[in-house]
Amino acid sequence: SQTIHQWPATLVQPVGSPLSLECTVEGTSNPNLYWYRQAAGRGLQLLFYSVGIGQISSEVPQNLSASRPQDRQFILSSKKLLLSDSGFYLCAWSPLTGVNTEAFFGQGTRLTVV
Amino acid sequence: GEDVEQSLFLSVREGDSSVINCTYTDSSSTYLYWYKQEPGAGLQLLTYIFSNMDMKQDQRLTVLLNKKDKHLSLRIADTQTGDSAIYFCAERSGGYQKVTFGTGTKLQVIP
């Protein structure tokens, strides 16, 4: 069966420090991968979307970047965090083909920039 | 391109029915979904509907799809306090079958 791992679960970082959030998927190949951010009590904002290794679409201009060094690994990064980067970050994957077609979410990372 | 819209907030009394609405723009959608997010957690799939269907019922949940108007709704019968959450609709479309989410509707159930 397929599983998605996202870590860490919580993170407190000072302004100006770097960030690296990692997401890995098991049990499938060539997934579509997504990074979302959710401000407190608000909806989802799609940050990055990837259809393959090295193929990243950025949905909104921002202080963050994403990379996909392997088929099932998706990394969200920042060189210098801003206070406005605080939020709940969710990684997700969806299959390109197959019976199960929906998106599956990780448990999220709560990032607080202080 | 894909765009999915929802109203941000809905408040209902316990025992009443809730109806959460969603509109989308991509006419090539293959599947449409409803997800539920409990506070502080990730999203969990509630139900989905194929784009060639117009209704699907699953216990207290009824999904209605009006493909002509690109309108999707989720009806929750006999709404309970445990139904309080954020509900997201989503569509799957395009060559890469990308899943696009709405911004979510926060459902508040008043006891």
Side-chain angles (χ1 to χ4, degrees):
Chain A
S1 63
Q2 304 93 352
T3 55
I4 178 168
H5 301 283
Q6 183 183 343
W7 67 93
T10 58
L11 193 59
V12 180
Q13 292 281 99
V15 168
S17 64
L19 172 74
S20 181
L21 301 182
E22 189 158 343
C23 174
T24 59
V25 181
E26 295 177 359
T28 188
S29 58
N30 196 29
N32 293 335
L33 294 170
Y34 313 77
W35 275 112
Y36 291 90
R37 177 169 55 204
Q38 186 177 31
R42 304 290 297 279
L44 290 176
Q45 180 185 38
L46 179 62
L47 301 176
F48 298 99
Y49 165 59
S50 173
V51 301
I53 295 173
Q55 299 179 65
I56 312 289
S57 295
S58 175
E59 299 293 316
V60 294
Q62 59 199 302
N63 182 43
L64 302 167
S65 62
S67 61
R68 184 170 177 174
Q70 301 180 58
D71 181 45
R72 290 169 289 176
Q73 184 184 29
F74 206 23
I75 299 170
L76 183 69
S77 305
S78 173
K79 291 182 180 177
K80 288 185 179 181
L81 284 168
L82 306 172
L83 286 174
S84 57
D85 291 324
S86 293
F88 190 49
Y89 289 83
L90 287 158
C91 178
W93 75 275
S94 67
L96 181 59
T97 59
V99 175
N100 294 324
T101 66
E102 70 268 24
F104 299 87
F105 283 81
Q107 287 303 301
T109 297
R110 185 158 306 282
L111 172 66
T112 305
V113 183
V114 296
Chain B
E2 325 89 8
D3 192 20
V4 181
E5 294 190 357
Q6 303 175 238
S7 53
L8 291 178
F9 191 74
L10 176 66
S11 180
V12 299
R13 294 206 172 275
E14 189 175 17
D16 288 350
S17 292
S18 308
V19 180
I20 303 171
N21 294 302
C22 172
T23 57
Y24 61 98
T25 57
D26 195 331
S27 58
S28 67
S29 298
T30 54
Y31 295 84
L32 296 117
Y33 310 91
W34 283 105
Y35 283 76
K36 179 182 180 182
Q37 184 185 32
E38 306 273 359
L43 279 68
Q44 296 292 323
L45 180 69
L46 269 182
T47 186
Y48 68 93
I49 189 168
F50 295 109
S51 59
N52 62 357
M53 297 169 63
D54 51 21
M55 189 182 88
K56 180 179 180 181
Q57 187 146 6
D58 184 1
Q59 298 182 336
R60 291 191 297 123
L61 305 178
T62 303
V63 178
L64 295 178
L65 175 60
N66 182 327
K67 201 170 180 182
K68 174 175 169 289
D69 294 338
K70 299 190 186 69
H71 183 265
L72 182 74
S73 67
L74 174 69
R75 179 177 180 270
I76 305 173
D78 187 25
T79 311
Q80 303 297 307
T81 54
D83 294 324
S84 293
I86 301 177
Y87 291 81
F88 294 87
C89 71
E91 63 158 359
R92 177 180 163 98
S93 63
Y96 286 104
Q97 293 293 284
K98 179 182 176 184
V99 181
T100 303
F101 284 80
T103 51
T105 299
K106 187 171 185 177
L107 174 65
Q108 180 188 42
V109 182
I110 304 166

